[in-house]
Amino acid sequence: MCAQEAKIRSKEELREKWMKPDVITGSEVLLRSLLLEGVDCVFGYPGGAVLYIYDAMHGFSDFNHLLTRHEQGAIHAADGYARSTGRPGVCIATSGPGATNLVTGIATAFMDSVPLVVITGNVAQNFIGTDAFQEADITGITMPITKHSYLVRDAADLPRIIHEAFHIANTGRKGPVLIDIPKDVSAQMTTFVPALGPVQIRGYEPYKAIDENPIRELIEAIEQAERPVILAGGGVVYSGAHTELLEFVLKTDIPVTTTLLGLGGFPSGNALWIGMPGMHGTYTANTAIQNADLLINIGARFDDRVTMKLDKFAPKAKKIVHIDIDPAEIGKNVKTDIAIIGDIKSVLTAANLHAKPAGKADDWRNEVQANKRNFPLSYQDSETELKPQWVIEMIHETTNGEAIVTTDVGQHQMWAAQYYKFNQPRSWITSGGLGTMGFGFPSAIGAQMAHPERLVVSINGDGGMQMCAQELAICAINNIPVKVVIINNQVLGMVRQWQEIIYDNRFSHIDLAGSPDFVKLAEAYGVKGFRATNKQEAESAWQEALNTPGPAVVEFVVRRGENVFPMVKAGDSISDMIMGDA
């Protein structure tokens, strides 16, 4: 028997063991049900209301749990796992403050359509509503930021609820689902009856038949267009439609701009890729949108950081097409002429059967390519100061663009989006809609747990790194080989940039003096730390980090006053780009 066959057989034997109709506690039902859903790692932090669940984990060698150092670290790690795999991430926390510490992470996932199954404990049912110790109405608190939620009343319902939760989280427009389990339910004895087979929930039909008529309208609009542009968003990545998008672009020969969450959904090395649009988008992408006569939005939500001033967005577009799985997004921000509702992969598969080149757009393609050559992203390099853009370029070159890159939020996030080139989907993990500081590092831990064979690089600012730095402990203890980059400009960089440009240099409460020595901080947790202040030190320190078999932290001390360009000020059109000194 070959190793692969043995592995399959072993997995089947385990499933048979997990499915036995034993009389067990609700906690054991929960663990078995998670395993039957294919969960290979759960991130969590115990407390009183979930002690029965954690007691069930004791000696349960089939169940893999990673103890984080903060509940926010747990949910961001689950988020990174989900974004890098396309499978729901799972986290567990106790009631009250444990559950409320998850709220920011739930909102982060909800804004970016990330599938999570969030499990919280609660006080016993007879204490609910009495203001008992560590009681919180977490289903009520999170109602606006979850796709669905459950308050479990009977342990016998747990298999069905868990099966449904994974289905809801990872179908249609993906998102977080919360399961709140009172302590008495986790202790209740019941006969385990696994929930198997397809899920049918009344009123929930995430995938409906695709209407062919608007697809035909799209094909006709492309044939007539002289200046078409594709705006591709995170929906391309979440749908797994990167191959179909590439085929569509090759057949239509239309330039493509990818949003922040769409990076990697279309290969950056392709000649038709014109960069990221919006507030910190490329000149080529923004100019193309503003001059397009046909704008085809594929899986993006017309976010305000892309559109900027709405009434001046894509003013020359005779037709705007919006392809999205969520009908609520159609026409929400931008008037849509052709609406195609459905899963991106399915829609593009249908469109590719009829797609033809945009035959009237030869001059337009030449114009776009000229802009791409003449107005590339650029910055003033220095031989005396370490420039953050150069650092990102160096990281890209040394990893061949093949790493999974996570970021925190701020200037470093935009530099990473601009200067690290992505050719694969699910290689770029960042908080887009909510802009959550503290997200970058723990999300890298989740991605690394999901992909132990891949290089994972977490790029952070000196501000955001301090919000979840305690998770260095679990990297050291479990030898999780994340390479942590800290772009240290000793300031809240993006806030400083806005205060400089928009608020006339009135700098207020942005100085991060008193931040720790990040090398010593890393070493205090048992992680190797390096520091660089110039190019030579940067190349050496980064290479040492890459050669380190376990986790490593590299602090790049960069110029304090460096800005992200291009930039569009809030309230301006994306035509009004500040290009910077370069």
Side-chain angles (χ1 to χ4, degrees):
M1 186 188 305
C2 71
Q4 184 66 23
E5 288 174 341
K7 188 176 180 180
I8 293 170
R9 181 173 176 179
S10 175
K11 195 169 184 179
E12 288 174 349
E13 288 172 352
L14 284 172
R15 284 182 64 84
E16 286 180 13
K17 181 175 73 171
W18 300 332
M19 290 173 66
K20 287 182 179 178
D22 301 323
V23 177
I24 55 178
T25 66
S27 297
E28 292 172 290
V29 170
L30 170 67
L31 302 190
R32 284 197 193 184
S33 298
L34 290 174
L35 289 170
L36 288 170
E37 293 295 334
V39 175
D40 53 20
C41 185
V42 171
F43 306 88
Y45 202 94
V50 290
L51 283 183
Y52 285 117
I53 297 172
Y54 277 83
D55 185 55
M57 293 182 200
H58 183 73
F60 195 165
S61 59
D62 297 339
F63 193 84
N64 183 22
H65 175 278
L66 189 68
L67 173 65
T68 60
R69 294 301 181 264
H70 193 288
E71 291 90 356
Q72 191 164 336
I75 194 161
H76 290 332
D79 189 312
Y81 178 99
R83 294 190 201 225
S84 68
T85 62
R87 302 192 300 272
V90 182
C91 65
I92 299 177
T94 192
S95 64
T100 57
N101 277 342
L102 299 175
V103 170
T104 298
I106 295 171
T108 300
F110 184 78
M111 286 285 281
D112 289 350
S113 304
V114 177
L116 295 182
V117 174
V118 181
I119 299 162
T120 55
N122 211 330
V123 299
Q125 291 182 81
N126 59 311
F127 286 110
I128 290 177
T130 68
D131 294 330
F133 178 67
Q134 290 193 333
E135 180 193 358
D137 178 11
I138 195 62
T139 56
I141 290 168
T142 60
M143 188 173 292
I145 54 170
T146 51
K147 192 175 176 184
H148 192 61
S149 60
Y150 295 90
L151 175 60
V152 186
R153 298 288 190 177
D154 189 329
D157 294 331
L158 271 168
R160 172 188 59 80
I161 287 172
I162 292 163
H163 197 43
E164 286 181 3
F166 276 82
H167 176 72
I168 293 168
N170 209 33
T171 53
R173 182 171 184 171
K174 304 175 193 296
V177 175
L178 184 135
I179 304 174
D180 196 32
I181 306 175
K183 191 170 183 178
D184 58 314
V185 174
S186 64
Q188 180 187 349
M189 302 298 293
T190 187
T191 301
F192 178 57
V193 181
L196 303 171
V199 176
Q200 290 186 331
I201 303 171
R202 189 175 63 182
Y204 182 65
E205 298 178 37
Y207 301 117
K208 295 183 179 180
I210 294 169
D211 187 350
E212 294 286 341
N213 291 324
I215 293 178
R216 282 194 288 270
E217 290 182 54
L218 167 63
I219 300 304
E220 291 172 6
I222 291 172
E223 290 176 356
Q224 297 301 316
E226 296 179 357
R227 301 184 308 279
V229 173
I230 292 171
L231 172 67
V236 172
V237 177
Y238 300 153
S239 176
H242 51 284
T243 301
E244 288 75 14
L245 175 61
L246 179 60
E247 181 183 347
F248 183 73
V249 172
L250 293 177
K251 285 184 172 181
T252 59
D253 216 13
I254 298 175
V256 182
T257 174
T258 45
T259 67
L260 180 69
L261 293 182
L263 293 173
F266 187 81
S268 62
N270 189 287
L272 287 167
W273 185 69
I274 55 176
M276 184 176 70
M279 176 176 278
H280 295 293
T282 65
Y283 177 89
T284 307
N286 283 351
T287 303
I289 289 173
Q290 293 301 82
N291 288 292
D293 65 351
L294 174 64
L295 179 60
I296 306 170
N297 179 332
I298 304 177
R301 60 186 179 87
F302 285 125
D303 171 67
D304 59 288
R305 289 294 174 97
V306 169
T307 63
M308 301 307 290
K309 190 171 180 62
L310 265 176
D311 60 7
K312 292 187 178 180
F313 178 74
K316 298 179 182 178
K318 297 175 182 176
K319 286 188 178 179
I320 293 180
V321 182
H322 195 170
I323 306 171
D324 205 289
I325 198 166
D326 185 356
E329 287 296 336
I330 306 295
K332 185 177 79 174
N333 295 326
V334 173
K335 181 180 177 295
T336 300
D337 301 291
I338 301 174
I340 306 176
I341 299 168
D343 173 65
I344 303 297
K345 190 180 183 77
S346 300
V347 170
L348 289 179
T349 297
N352 282 332
L353 296 174
H354 310 287
K356 297 176 183 176
K360 298 181 179 181
D362 288 345
D363 291 342
W364 170 245
R365 281 185 284 268
N366 292 334
E367 180 183 331
V368 169
Q369 290 302 320
N371 282 338
K372 190 175 176 180
R373 289 191 304 272
N374 296 331
F375 300 97
L377 289 169
S378 59
Y379 61 95
Q380 286 189 346
D381 202 0
S382 172
E383 295 305 318
T384 58
E385 294 179 306
L386 197 56
K387 290 297 187 86
Q389 303 94 327
W390 180 89
V391 172
I392 303 299
E393 287 181 324
M394 179 199 68
I395 293 171
H396 174 263
E397 290 168 8
T398 53
T399 61
N400 297 314
E402 295 177 356
I404 295 175
V405 176
T406 78
T407 77
D408 213 83
V409 172
Q411 286 182 312
H412 70 275
Q413 177 191 31
M414 294 298 105
W415 284 318
Q418 290 175 335
Y419 289 97
Y420 197 100
K421 305 305 180 186
F422 298 91
N423 288 310
Q424 300 178 54
R426 302 196 180 279
S427 294
W428 168 247
I429 297 171
T430 196
S431 171
L434 200 65
T436 303
M437 289 181 70
F439 172 85
F441 174 40
S443 68
I445 293 171
Q448 189 74 82
M449 292 297 290
H451 303 276
E453 77 292 348
R454 288 191 65 182
L455 173 64
V456 178
V457 178
S458 180
I459 302 175
N460 305 269
D462 47 319
M465 184 62 197
Q466 294 181 71
M467 294 190 176
C468 278
Q470 70 278 350
E471 305 307 333
L472 283 166
I474 64 173
C475 286
I477 293 167
N478 298 283
N479 199 35
I480 302 170
V482 173
K483 309 307 177 187
V484 182
V485 170
I486 302 172
I487 304 294
N488 188 356
N489 57 5
Q490 306 93 51
V491 70
L492 286 171
M494 191 61 84
V495 180
R496 188 211 60 78
Q497 178 169 336
W498 278 47
Q499 289 179 346
E500 174 191 331
I501 295 173
I502 302 172
Y503 295 88
D504 298 326
N505 290 301
R506 293 191 296 275
F507 299 117
S508 178
H509 298 284
I510 54 168
D511 191 347
L512 291 181
S515 294
D517 180 323
F518 288 105
V519 173
K520 288 182 179 177
L521 180 66
E523 291 171 347
Y525 280 108
V527 175
K528 283 193 174 183
F530 308 90
R531 179 181 295 109
T533 60
N534 58 49
K535 287 182 176 180
Q536 184 177 355
E537 290 176 354
E539 290 173 334
S540 175
W542 180 240
Q543 196 56 54
E544 282 194 69
L546 289 177
N547 292 337
T548 299
V553 172
V554 186
E555 176 190 9
F556 295 97
V557 181
V558 301
R559 180 174 175 268
R560 181 186 179 98
E562 193 72 14
N563 288 330
V564 180
F565 293 118
M567 176 185 174
V568 178
K569 292 191 293 184
D572 285 353
S573 157
I574 59 171
S575 300
D576 302 323
M577 288 168 277
I578 303 171
M579 298 302 293
D581 295 337

